[in-house]
Amino acid sequence: MPQARLIDLTRLASRLGLGAMTGIDRVEYAWARHLSGLDRPLFGLIRTRLGFALLNAAGIAGLLDRAAGLCPVGPVDLTSRLIWRRNPARGRAEADVRRLSMARASVLGLPRLLARVGVGFSYFNLGHSNLTPPVMRAVKAAQGCVTVLLHDTIPLDHPEFTRAGIPAVFGRKLGAVSHYADLVIHTTQAARRASEAQMQRLGRVPPAMVANLGVTVAPSLPGDLPPGIDLDQPFVLALGTIEPRKNLELLCDVWDGASALPRLCIVGHRGWADPALFARLSALPGVEMLGPLSDGAVGALMDRAVALVFPTLAEGFGLPPLEAAARGLPVICSDLAVLHELLHDFPVYLNPRDVYSWRQAIQTLAQDGAQQTEPGQAAHRPRIDPPLWEDHFNAVLSLGL
């Protein structure tokens, strides 16, 4: 029998029941879905408040159905009622994890739990959870091979964009990667350069490769949009979690007092940010905060928007502009090396601090592209061929993992 694979699904499990998946959630989901279709034994590892849960193939399938919204998250159980009283969504998620698991163990019992996977398995950590010495040592004790997808090192490169304490936590995670990883997957050359510079300071740079993440062009489903969204009036789209490094302050400055701009529609979860930013976004005329939406709803917005604006200050990859460019939606984005690497000459690149240039570029696109936002016209817009998940998986798994 071929050696098993073990995929860490802690990040994905923690997001069950919270609406549309975010970027890293989507990566864990895509990997789990792909590995589930291959002819190697597959197990899933999830850390909960009480320890670790091990899922077999059927348990992973159930988790993926819940993550995709194909199956509702189940009710809270007594254990979750006691330990997650202030977070019922997380309580329901962990209750489902227990129902789906084939075995569970405390932190101290992790080596014994992993023995059920078999000796010499391949462990895939794709979401930055459980990058700790105890987990890495338990995998190594079972002669497992550790593969880590390192999305970026932004908490260390730009600590000003993270919450207090996060750089230290991430630094410990990167230390575990530096010490234990057998292979590190980077999503871009730019991210690899930044990450390896950080690991060089830690004393070991593991073997590595670059494999772009796949971009899936979702169908356009206007029926998934919330009521009241007007697709007939011009609008510009911003997509992504609202947090400091996404630089929505710039968009506030662009729209503040501007009378000749189309509406700005912001789609994404409310992350951590100064409450004053949320208040300002909510109060600005012409700015609509739509919250997280389904892929089909986002597709419908992209097919009718004037442009996607992406004024980010730091990225390891950059899914929103790639998704937009794959649909032919014009992109205005920050002048960052990682975005040049992925998008080449498709976008308009601007200084992410220059309010005037962003306002001018948006006005120009609004004037030049109004006719392209009419129903049926999106199919005729220039577009790029995005990276494919198939190529990503083939590049990594061709190494025999």
Side-chain angles (χ1 to χ4, degrees):
M1 176 179 288
Q3 291 171 319
R5 292 180 172 123
L6 176 67
I7 181 171
D8 200 303
L9 296 172
T10 301
R11 164 73 181 230
L12 189 62
S14 73
R15 299 286 306 167
L16 291 182
L18 298 181
M21 288 182 279
T22 60
I24 294 180
D25 310 339
R26 293 172 185 273
V27 175
E28 277 193 4
Y29 178 88
W31 264 95
R33 186 64 77 189
H34 181 77
L35 293 180
S36 295
L38 303 181
D39 58 356
R40 289 260 295 268
L42 180 65
F43 297 86
L45 182 68
I46 297 171
R47 181 162 187 165
T48 70
R49 175 67 70 85
L50 297 179
F52 290 91
L54 185 68
L55 278 61
N56 59 16
I60 293 172
L63 184 79
L64 295 181
D65 284 347
R66 286 159 175 78
L70 302 177
C71 173
V73 179
V76 69
D77 60 11
L78 178 60
T79 301
S80 284
R81 189 174 293 116
L82 293 173
I83 64 177
W84 287 110
R85 285 178 295 177
R86 297 185 178 181
N87 192 339
R90 188 67 177 271
R92 289 191 295 272
E94 288 203 358
D96 258 4
V97 167
R98 283 188 287 275
R99 285 187 281 264
L100 292 168
S101 66
M102 60 175 282
R104 300 193 299 275
S106 67
V107 174
L108 294 177
L110 179 60
R112 186 172 63 255
L113 187 69
L114 294 186
R116 304 188 64 155
V117 179
V119 173
F121 57 83
S122 292
Y123 169 69
F124 293 88
N125 189 304
L126 311 160
H128 289 187
S129 297
N130 293 328
L131 293 176
T132 65
V135 173
M136 299 294 105
R137 285 196 295 265
V139 172
K140 291 293 191 177
Q143 300 177 38
C145 174
V146 175
T147 297
V148 176
L149 197 161
L150 194 58
H151 293 267
D152 57 66
T153 48
I154 289 172
L156 300 179
D157 301 328
H158 300 282
E160 68 275 18
F161 299 148
T162 62
R163 291 171 296 209
I166 294 298
V169 171
F170 187 83
R172 291 193 290 272
K173 291 185 177 186
L174 192 65
V177 174
S178 173
H179 187 78
Y180 293 102
D182 296 293
L183 175 69
V184 175
I185 306 167
H186 302 280
T187 60
T188 60
Q189 293 289 353
R192 179 176 184 173
R193 287 192 295 271
S195 299
E196 292 190 342
Q198 292 289 351
M199 286 189 284
Q200 186 70 46
R201 288 190 277 272
L202 295 171
R204 176 178 179 261
V205 178
M209 66 178 299
V210 172
N212 294 156
L213 300 177
V215 175
T216 302
V217 179
S220 175
L221 300 175
D224 282 4
L225 288 167
I229 296 179
D230 187 356
L231 296 179
D232 294 326
Q233 295 300 316
F235 65 92
V236 169
L237 183 64
L239 177 62
T241 301
I242 301 173
E243 57 181 320
R245 71 181 174 90
K246 297 300 184 179
N247 196 26
L248 294 191
E249 285 282 3
L250 174 120
L251 298 182
C252 287
D253 293 339
V254 168
W255 260 265
D256 195 358
S259 58
L261 293 181
R263 290 175 298 144
L264 171 64
C265 293
I266 301 174
V267 175
H269 291 272
R270 288 190 176 216
W272 76 280
D274 185 342
L277 173 61
F278 293 117
R280 190 179 179 197
L281 287 169
S282 299
L284 273 175
V287 176
E288 299 179 32
M289 298 178 65
L290 305 181
L293 298 177
S294 70
D295 291 348
V298 172
L301 290 173
M302 284 191 170
D303 282 350
R304 298 296 296 276
V306 170
L308 178 102
V309 287
F310 196 64
T312 182
L313 297 170
E315 291 293 325
F317 193 64
L319 277 173
L322 271 172
E323 292 170 350
R327 303 184 80 94
L329 175 62
V331 173
I332 306 172
C333 67
S334 299
D335 191 7
L336 301 181
V338 63
L339 299 179
H340 280 276
E341 179 181 335
L342 293 168
L343 292 154
H344 307 292
D345 60 354
F346 185 89
V348 175
Y349 294 103
L350 298 174
N351 183 330
R353 305 290 191 186
D354 186 347
V355 174
Y356 176 78
S357 65
W358 281 79
R359 185 177 290 159
Q360 291 298 109
I362 292 165
Q363 287 176 337
T364 299
L365 274 179
Q367 294 166 0
D368 294 348
Q371 71 277 8
Q372 296 182 28
T373 66
E374 297 175 3
Q377 293 303 306
H380 304 294
R381 300 190 295 202
R383 64 196 66 227
I384 68 170
D385 294 323
L388 301 176
W389 277 117
E390 181 180 2
D391 294 335
H392 174 86
F393 296 133
N394 288 343
V396 178
L397 298 180
S398 66
L399 301 179
L401 301 172

